[in-house]
Amino acid sequence: MKKFLTVFSLLFVIFAFSITGQEVLDNVKDSYQNVKDEKALFELKMTDEKGNVQRKEFTIYMYKKSEDVVYAIIRFKKPASDRNLTLLVRGSDNIYLYMPAFRTTKRISGAAKNDRFAGSDFTYKDIELVYKVSDRNYNAELTKEDENYYYLHITHNDSELDFKKLNMKIDKKLLLPVYIEFFNWQGEKYKTITFEKIQNIDGYNVPTSIVARNLKENTVTEIILKDVEFDIGIPEKFFSPITISKPILRY
């Protein structure tokens, strides 16, 4: 998400016919994963097949431990029934959920990455894609490109994931994904995610609206960025099961 330089754009034009799909993903990662840590406030707007709207609000704290490992804490603020419900993610096999009604923190299975995030059209793996697009477990093929976009076809062999294939459209200048199509193991397209209203905030190009459309159930979920701070010095030790059990999160 950092500022791109004109010389980089020229290099992409020069090597347009030699770059591979994996190199495109790596360039995306290098461009927008250089943030060290982040605190962001989001609104979750969920619209069902009848047009009924439900809204939630949550804060995400994020810490980049390494190139391939990102920690996150997600705490809900609204509605009142979800207040202080908190999720800690320390890799796909280290997920903890704090339930304030029971004052209990429990570890949940890594298979939860396919579960719906707060009952929305996003899964926890989808949320991870926002921060970690490039993954060496993916096989990325550059299917075409034009003046403004790269088009990737991505596959994997992780049987725990709901999706088998992705089609991803990436903005060449911003080096950000702007559109993703999800295909299940039967080859059916069942969901799309669109990254909209990209703004430059503190030198980072940030999508301020991310929209998921469930093509099977005809539902829509929008994640709306309301506030964000980058590189504010959140320490690694903050991301612990003890932290998420506290009524006020302090780092």
Side-chain angles (χ1 to χ4, degrees):
M1 294 189 293
K2 64 182 181 181
K3 298 175 180 175
F4 65 91
L5 302 178
T6 303
V7 66
F8 288 170
S9 300
L10 292 174
L11 286 174
F12 287 138
V13 172
I14 293 171
F15 294 106
F17 297 101
S18 61
I19 194 168
T20 68
Q22 186 59 54
E23 287 170 339
V24 172
L25 279 187
D26 289 343
N27 287 333
V28 170
K29 177 191 67 177
D30 292 341
S31 175
Y32 95 157
Q33 281 187 216
N34 285 326
V35 59
K36 296 176 182 177
D37 57 69
E38 174 182 336
K39 178 183 178 182
L41 176 64
F42 291 94
E43 179 183 347
L44 191 66
K45 178 184 176 184
M46 299 178 287
T47 306
D48 66 18
E49 71 281 2
K50 297 180 180 179
N52 300 313
V53 176
Q54 182 181 8
R55 297 178 187 269
K56 299 188 178 186
E57 191 172 274
F58 61 92
T59 300
I60 286 185
Y61 303 81
M62 186 274 291
Y63 172 81
K64 182 183 176 184
K65 179 176 174 63
S66 68
E67 181 177 321
D68 296 313
V69 180
V70 176
Y71 292 170
I73 289 177
I74 301 171
R75 168 157 285 188
F76 283 86
K77 301 179 67 176
K78 297 177 182 178
S81 58
D82 289 343
R83 185 171 178 80
N84 285 350
L85 184 69
T86 311
L87 188 82
L88 165 67
V89 181
R90 290 172 57 96
S92 59
D93 294 323
N94 289 285
I95 303 173
Y96 299 84
L97 179 66
Y98 172 65
M99 297 172 289
F102 301 99
R103 297 183 181 179
T104 300
T105 300
K106 70 173 184 178
R107 185 172 179 174
I108 58 180
S109 167
K113 56 191 169 186
N114 290 316
D115 290 350
R116 292 190 173 200
F117 174 67
S120 73
D121 294 306
F122 290 92
T123 66
Y124 291 106
K125 184 63 179 177
D126 296 340
I127 300 298
E128 182 183 358
L129 280 173
V130 176
Y131 295 101
K132 187 170 176 279
V133 168
S134 183
D135 193 321
R136 286 295 178 178
N137 294 320
Y138 293 161
N139 177 31
E141 176 189 359
L142 180 62
T143 57
K144 68 175 182 177
E145 62 178 294
D146 56 33
E147 183 179 353
N148 298 312
Y149 301 105
Y150 293 115
Y151 298 84
L152 301 185
H153 181 67
I154 298 170
T155 59
H156 68 85
N157 291 310
D158 186 347
S159 60
E160 291 186 351
L161 293 178
D162 281 351
F163 63 86
K164 171 62 177 174
K165 298 182 292 185
L166 301 174
N167 286 334
M168 187 178 294
K169 180 180 177 181
I170 294 173
D171 186 293
K172 280 187 171 183
K173 292 182 179 180
L174 299 178
L175 285 178
L176 284 176
V178 293
Y179 183 71
I180 306 175
E181 296 177 327
F182 293 76
F183 296 81
N184 61 24
W185 289 77
Q186 291 73 46
E188 303 168 317
K189 184 168 73 171
Y190 67 95
K191 180 168 60 180
T192 66
I193 293 181
T194 307
F195 297 74
E196 302 178 348
K197 302 177 183 177
I198 297 173
Q199 297 181 9
N200 189 284
I201 302 174
D202 296 334
Y204 295 95
N205 292 310
V206 184
T208 59
S209 171
I210 304 174
V211 180
R213 292 177 172 86
N214 187 318
L215 305 181
K216 297 283 189 179
E217 300 181 9
N218 196 29
T219 55
V220 179
T221 299
E222 182 179 10
I223 295 180
I224 304 163
L225 178 65
K226 302 184 74 173
D227 189 32
V228 64
E229 298 175 274
F230 297 108
D231 302 328
I232 53 179
I234 304 176
E236 180 180 350
K237 65 181 181 180
F238 174 72
F239 296 84
S240 75
I242 295 176
T243 295
I244 66 173
S245 66
K246 296 179 179 179
I248 299 176
L249 299 183
R250 292 191 177 94
Y251 51 85

